């Protein structure tokens, strides 16, 4: 049992010395096979606030802020003597609650994390790093189809219905529908005791009349139990930790015909596990080889990190002595009441000692932990054997190929196919067979694994993907649209156009199409407008045209933009609904000036054809004439009769530039995990800061928020946010620096903020001991 010991976390209410390198990775071993750990070895020590470990390649990946490490023991003493940096800049010391964690190896052989915008994979030669759409706060899990589950403190369960890599393919479009979606509507919790020691316990509706928490405030560590030693329905439940309320919630996740996931509590009015001990702090969950549910209990009084401790919570901690004791963390093993734990433990096999021919059949195992582990071991052994033992590699490959068609279960066949994919041992023949399978898990995996081959001219897989999309399975169809977008061949783009012409009626379909068209939006738009079938207005078509138009404007390439305007000036579009959609997209993507207001659209020359078309529409009384005239009025080109009215940005002087640089560093450490480095925020966690009028407005209001925090609800970019913006415990200089940064980054041009101004706000609000509300700040 590999254990992360984050012993430095919050030694007192002020977090004094918590960055001391006292954290460890330990290995606990059972020598006699009775299921009880007999021996402990320190694998790695001297770590500051470590938070995740994942055994792999005769060693382990470790998140040890600010690094992701690969560590291994080569001399057999149990201690790591190899320590390689896989990635760095992960942060996690300043704000451990909002930093990378998780290290979940997914079925496609990548390591994913919560709260991170990258994924990692060993390809047999080196560690690969790829960008993905970030999501979640603490903890990550997957189901039998590889869909990812995570949450934020106030939102019990969220998920990626689609691989998060698709969410970053096209920055002209942004995140896609189906990534980072809410799965749970019922956020009620039912503690077994009074829970006054929560951060916003003073707020209306946070505690009930019995002083018990009403809704999640510290939700974390979702876990999908995929078989094992729990009774039904818990053997297939999704569990969520709520350490602030000392409990675990059990959920059932069901899928609709449209591919949507819906989570509902298994129990009504009570929880599957709840403690009357205030120091019971479940913060992570795992399945084990014995089928048990393992509960990581931090067991301590102080849960909230110092950055988020309100005056109310500080008083609770001090009044009841919650800062002590420390160092009593424990791990619980949960099984069905009649389970013979020792017997189940003895049923374990040793994957490393088994021949591939004996190991491959274990991909059929009834429990997800074993399927995942066997797949990982096969991939790691296969990567090594390919170079060192080619005969062994061929035997493994042949056994896996046979398993794709002959394994007992559809999940076993899926794991065999994914293992071959990770080993680069697939061929078209096997993919064709898998695509033609009526088994959903196998077909979904085959669609994703087809992507590298779609770039080939006249790939025989393209028509098979289209056929699979027409099978009637909404999730398969959606995956096909995403996968076709990975290639830019004429065949794949034509197939994509055919599928979207047949139906774009779901909210996710237009988004999926756009995700794969970076830089190709204008050509794809012309393809659709040239199709006579697109004259008819059908559900979802206006959304797709609007998104294509918006993406062309967002990209900011003058040639593409002028191409769109030329199409508007010529024979396209024909139907009024097409005009409306394209003009709406133009407006959606319109650039902002440095003050966050609509700016001027830069062109290389006067759009004479568009001007003439506008006059024709006006003469004919066309409904779109006024909108088009407004578009032309807001364009600018050399020789324009109106001067360029771009707002001038006052240059920063030397001191202000230094403040901006300091603010950038603070933002990276304390803000970017929620609001993102792009300033665009994250669904379910934090609203956007870029092009946000509040950020560019009164700096005193921003200073109040950083000094005292802010609670929801507040509406930003048309969405209601109900989380809490914590206090930033920095100096006047630091607060002025980060405010200067967000008011000047991402194309902003608002005035910098002076430390003296922050000091004045601090003095004026010195008696404040609660977060501000939107109403108090004049934001409605």
């Amino acid at each position: 049992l590999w254990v992360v010991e984050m012993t430095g976390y919050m030694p007192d209410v002020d977090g004094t010395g918590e960055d001391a390198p006292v954290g460890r990775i330990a290995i606990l071993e059972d020598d006699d096979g009775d299921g009880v750990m007999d021996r402990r070895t320190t694998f790695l020590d001297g770590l500051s606030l470590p938070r995740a470990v994942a055994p792999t390649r005769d060693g382990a990946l470790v998140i040890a802020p600010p690094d992701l490490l690969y560590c291994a023991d080569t001399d057999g003493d149990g201690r790591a003597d190899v320590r390689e940096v896989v990635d760095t800049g992960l942060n996690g010391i300043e704000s451990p609650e909002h930093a990378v964690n998780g290290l979940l190896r997914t079925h496609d052989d990548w390591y994913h994390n919560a709260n991170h915008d990258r994924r990692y994979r060993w390809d047999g030669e080196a560690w690969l790093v790829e960008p993905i759409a970030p999501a979640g706060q603490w903890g990550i899990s997957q189901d039998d189809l590889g869909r990812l589950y995570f949450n934020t403190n106030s939102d019990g369960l969220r998920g990626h219905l689609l691989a998060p890599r698709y969410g970053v393919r096209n920055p002209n479009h942004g995140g896609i529908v189906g990534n980072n979606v809410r799965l749970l509507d019922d956020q009620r919790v039912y503690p077994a005791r009074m829970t006054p020691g929560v951060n916003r316990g003073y707020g209306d509706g946070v505690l009930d009349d019995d002083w018990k928490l009403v809704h999640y405030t510290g939700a974390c560590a979702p876990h999908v139990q995929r078989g094992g030693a729990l009774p039904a329905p818990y053997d297939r439940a999704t569990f969520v930790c709520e350490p602030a309320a000392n409990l675990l919630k059990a959920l059932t996740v069901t899928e609709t015909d449209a591919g949507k996931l819906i989570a509902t509590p298994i129990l009504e009015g009570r929880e599957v596990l709840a403690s009357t001990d205030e120091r019971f702090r479940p913060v992570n969950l795992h399945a084990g080889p014995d089928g048990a549910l393992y509960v990581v209990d931090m067991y301590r009084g102080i849960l909230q990190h110092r950055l988020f401790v309100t005056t109310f919570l500080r008083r609770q901690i001090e009044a009841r002595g919650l800062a002590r004791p420390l160092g009593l963390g424990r791990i619980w093993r949960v099984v069905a009441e009649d389970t013979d734990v020792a017997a189940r433990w003895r049923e374990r096999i040793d994957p490393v000692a088994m021949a591939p021919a004996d190991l491959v059949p274990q991909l059929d195992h009834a429990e997800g932990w074993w399927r995942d582990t066997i797949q990982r071991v096969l991939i790691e052994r296969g990567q090594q054997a390919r170079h060192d033992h080619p005969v062994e590699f061929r035997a493994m490959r042949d056994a896996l190929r046979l398993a794709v068609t002959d394994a007992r279960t559809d999940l076993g066949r899926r794991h065999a196919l994914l293992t071959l994919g990770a080993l680069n041992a697939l061929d078209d023949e096997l993919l064709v067979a898998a695509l033609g399978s009526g088994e959903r898990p196998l077909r979904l995996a085959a669609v994703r694994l087809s992507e590298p081959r779609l770039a080939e001219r006249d790939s025989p897989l393209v028509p098979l993907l289209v056929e699979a999309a027409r099978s009637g399975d909404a999730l398969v169809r959606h995956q096909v649209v995403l996968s076709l977008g990975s290639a830019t061949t004429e065949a794949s783009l034509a197939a994509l156009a055919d599928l979207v012409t047949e139906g774009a009626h779901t909210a996710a379909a237009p988004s999926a199409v756009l995700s794969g068209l970076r830089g190709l939006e204008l050509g794809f738009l012309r393809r659709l407008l040239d199709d006579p079938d697109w004259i008819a207005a059908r559900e979802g078509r206006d959304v797709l045209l609007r998104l294509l138009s918006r993406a062309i404007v967002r990209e900011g390439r003058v040639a593409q933009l002028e191409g769109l305007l030329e199409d508007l000036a010529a024979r396209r579009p024909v139907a009024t609904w097409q005009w409306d959609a394209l003009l709406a997209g133009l407006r959606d993507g319109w650039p902002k000036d440095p003050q966050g207001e609509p700016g001027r659209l830069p062109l290389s020359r006067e759009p004479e054809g568009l001007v003439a078309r506008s006059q024709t529409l006006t003469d004919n009384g066309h409904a779109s004439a006024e909108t088009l005239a407004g578009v032309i009025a807001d364009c600018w080109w050399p020789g324009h009769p109106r001067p360029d009215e771009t707002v001038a940005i006052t240059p920063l002087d030397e001191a202000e530039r230094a403040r901006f640089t300091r603010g950038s560093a603070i933002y990276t450490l304390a803000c970017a995990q929620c609001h993102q480095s792009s300033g665009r925020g994250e669904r379910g966690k934090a609203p956007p800061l870029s092009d946000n009028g509040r950020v560019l407005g009164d700096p005193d209001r921003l200073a109040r928020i950083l000094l005292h925090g802010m609670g929801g609800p507040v509406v930003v970019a048309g969405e209601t946010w109900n989380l809490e913006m914590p206090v930033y415990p920095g100096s006047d200089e630091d607060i002025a620096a980060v405010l200067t940064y967000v008011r000047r980054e991402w194309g902003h041009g608002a005035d910098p903020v002076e430390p003296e101004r922050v000091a004045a706000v601090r003095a004026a609000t010195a008696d404040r001991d609660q977060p501000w509300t939107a109403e108090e700040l004049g934001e409605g």
Side-chain angles (χ1 to χ4, degrees), residues 187-198 200-217 242 244-247 269-271 274-276 312:
Q187 305 290 338
R188 280 295 307 266
V189 293
Y190 299 94
R193 63 175 306 281
M194 289 170 39
T195 57
V198 296
R200 289 191 285 171
Y202 54 80
D204 292 339
V206 176
L207 304 177
D208 63 18
D209 293 340
D210 295 323
W211 286 76
K212 293 181 177 180
L213 187 67
V214 176
H215 299 108
Y216 286 116
T217 189
E242 175 42 286
N246 323 109
L247 58 84
R270 60 194 180 98
E271 306 295 356
S275 177
T276 56
F312 174 89

Side-chain angles (χ1 to χ4, degrees), residues 105 351 359 363 368-378:
R105 181 198 163 275
L359 201 53
L363 293 172
W369 188 94
W370 279 107
R371 293 195 301 274
D372 296 354
T373 301
I374 297 300
Q375 183 188 355
R376 174 178 64 81
V377 171
L378 283 169

Side-chain angles (χ1 to χ4, degrees), residues 587-758:
R587 284 304 191 189
D588 290 344
W590 209 262
K592 300 287 184 68
D593 71 13
Q595 301 299 328
E597 300 298 327
R600 306 291 294 277
L601 195 66
L603 304 176
S604 65
R605 62 187 184 277
E606 180 180 2
E608 296 177 352
L610 195 62
V611 173
R613 185 65 180 269
S614 175
Q615 186 61 51
T616 300
L617 292 178
T618 301
D619 294 342
N620 295 333
H622 196 284
S624 301
E626 184 177 351
T627 303
L628 182 57
V631 167
I632 297 171
D634 288 336
C635 292
W636 188 89
W637 54 88
H640 194 284
R642 286 167 52 196
D644 184 0
E645 297 173 350
T646 302
V647 177
I649 301 176
T650 304
L652 300 177
D653 62 26
E654 184 176 352
E656 291 165 343
R657 285 197 302 273
R659 195 175 308 137
F660 175 91
T661 301
R662 170 61 180 158
S664 175
I666 294 171
Y667 183 89
T668 299
L669 288 172
C671 314
Q673 286 299 134
C674 291
H675 294 288
Q676 304 306 316
S677 58
S678 64
R680 294 177 180 173
E682 182 183 317
R683 293 174 187 164
K685 186 190 295 184
L689 300 180
S690 61
D691 294 331
N692 185 330
R694 294 176 174 87
V695 172
L696 302 173
D698 182 4
D700 289 357
R701 179 172 54 193
L702 296 179
R704 291 189 190 98
I705 293 173
L706 289 189
L707 287 167
H708 304 292
M710 178 182 177
V714 61
V715 178
V716 180
E719 183 175 349
T720 299
W721 304 81
N722 201 26
L723 301 179
E724 182 172 330
M725 167 69 189
V727 173
Y728 175 66
S731 65
D732 296 340
E733 291 76 9
D734 284 348
I735 291 177
V738 75
L739 292 184
T740 295
Y741 173 76
V742 298
R743 288 162 61 83
R744 278 301 178 104
E745 185 62 295
W746 313 304
H748 294 167
D751 291 337
V753 179
E754 302 292 331
E756 292 77 12
R757 186 159 190 169
V758 177

Side-chain angles (χ1 to χ4, degrees), residues 18 130 242 358 376 524 562 581 665:
E18 74 169 354
E130 283 190 359
E242 175 42 286
D358 298 322
R376 174 178 64 81
F524 196 79
E562 290 182 339

Side-chain angles (χ1 to χ4, degrees), residues 575-588:
T576 299
W577 72 268
Q578 293 177 336
W579 271 104
D580 293 341
L582 293 175
L583 291 176
L586 272 170
R587 284 304 191 189
D588 290 344

Side-chain angles (χ1 to χ4, degrees), residues 301-621:
I302 298 179
L303 177 68
Q304 192 76 62
H305 188 252
R306 61 180 175 81
L307 293 180
F308 305 90
V309 173
T310 60
T311 302
F312 174 89
L313 183 55
R314 177 182 289 271
R315 291 168 181 165
Q316 292 283 334
I317 291 170
E318 293 173 347
R320 296 204 307 285
L322 294 177
R324 294 288 183 273
L326 296 173
L328 299 180
R330 59 200 64 188
I331 300 172
W332 300 90
R333 177 166 51 200
V334 181
V335 297
E337 192 171 30
D338 57 354
T339 299
D340 185 337
V341 174
R344 286 191 64 93
W345 194 253
R346 287 191 296 271
E347 291 173 0
R348 294 174 302 153
I349 61 174
D350 183 357
V352 177
M354 295 175 65
D358 298 322
L359 201 53
V360 169
Q362 296 296 323
L363 293 172
D364 270 324
H365 202 287
E367 297 176 18
W369 188 94
W370 279 107
R371 293 195 301 274
D372 296 354
T373 301
I374 297 300
Q375 183 188 355
R376 174 178 64 81
V377 171
L378 283 169
I379 292 171
E380 292 172 0
R381 290 180 61 175
Q383 288 173 334
Q384 184 175 2
R386 180 188 287 274
H387 299 287
D388 301 337
H389 307 287
V391 174
E392 179 184 338
F393 177 80
R394 288 194 294 271
M396 178 186 298
R397 179 198 60 194
D398 293 345
L400 287 165
R401 286 179 59 87
L402 186 62
V404 171
T405 55
D406 292 356
R408 297 191 315 274
T409 66
D410 55 356
L411 291 177
R413 291 187 281 276
R414 174 181 180 272
H415 279 282
L417 187 71
L418 288 166
T419 304
L420 286 167
L423 292 172
N424 296 316
L426 281 175
D427 56 34
D428 283 357
E429 181 183 354
L430 200 60
L431 283 172
V432 167
L435 286 171
S437 168
E439 298 170 356
R440 187 192 206 201
L442 187 60
R443 178 176 277 182
L444 280 168
V447 172
R448 289 194 291 270
L449 291 170
S450 297
E451 292 179 12
R453 289 172 161 75
L454 297 182
E456 301 169 4
R457 182 185 295 274
D458 300 323
S459 169
L461 298 178
V462 171
L464 295 176
L465 289 181
V466 174
E467 184 179 343
R470 292 167 175 161
S471 65
D473 187 310
L475 188 58
V476 171
R477 181 182 181 86
H478 202 61
Q479 181 59 54
V480 168
V481 172
L482 289 167
S483 294
L484 286 172
S486 67
T488 58
T489 64
E490 171 61 24
S492 64
L493 291 174
L496 196 60
D498 287 345
L499 288 177
V500 80
T501 298
E502 292 173 8
H505 53 281
T506 65
S511 180
V513 172
L514 260 294
S515 74
L517 293 177
R518 180 179 185 178
L520 303 174
E521 294 92 346
L522 180 60
F524 196 79
L525 173 63
R526 287 171 169 169
R527 181 189 294 268
L528 299 182
L529 294 178
D530 280 340
D531 185 346
D533 188 82
W534 272 76
I535 295 176
R538 296 177 185 165
E539 185 177 0
R541 289 186 171 185
D542 59 334
V543 175
L544 180 55
L545 294 191
R546 183 170 182 165
L547 292 176
L548 286 165
S549 177
R550 183 186 72 170
I552 293 168
V553 179
R554 279 184 170 182
E555 187 176 22
R557 290 171 55 195
V558 173
Q560 294 286 88
L561 178 58
E562 290 182 339
L564 173 61
L565 297 182
E566 287 168 4
D567 284 352
L568 287 169
R571 61 182 176 81
R572 306 182 184 94
V574 177
T576 299
W577 72 268
Q578 293 177 336
W579 271 104
D580 293 341
L582 293 175
L583 291 176
L586 272 170
R587 284 304 191 189
D588 290 344
W590 209 262
K592 300 287 184 68
D593 71 13
Q595 301 299 328
E597 300 298 327
R600 306 291 294 277
L601 195 66
L603 304 176
S604 65
R605 62 187 184 277
E606 180 180 2
E608 296 177 352
L610 195 62
V611 173
R613 185 65 180 269
S614 175
Q615 186 61 51
T616 300
L617 292 178
T618 301
D619 294 342
N620 295 333

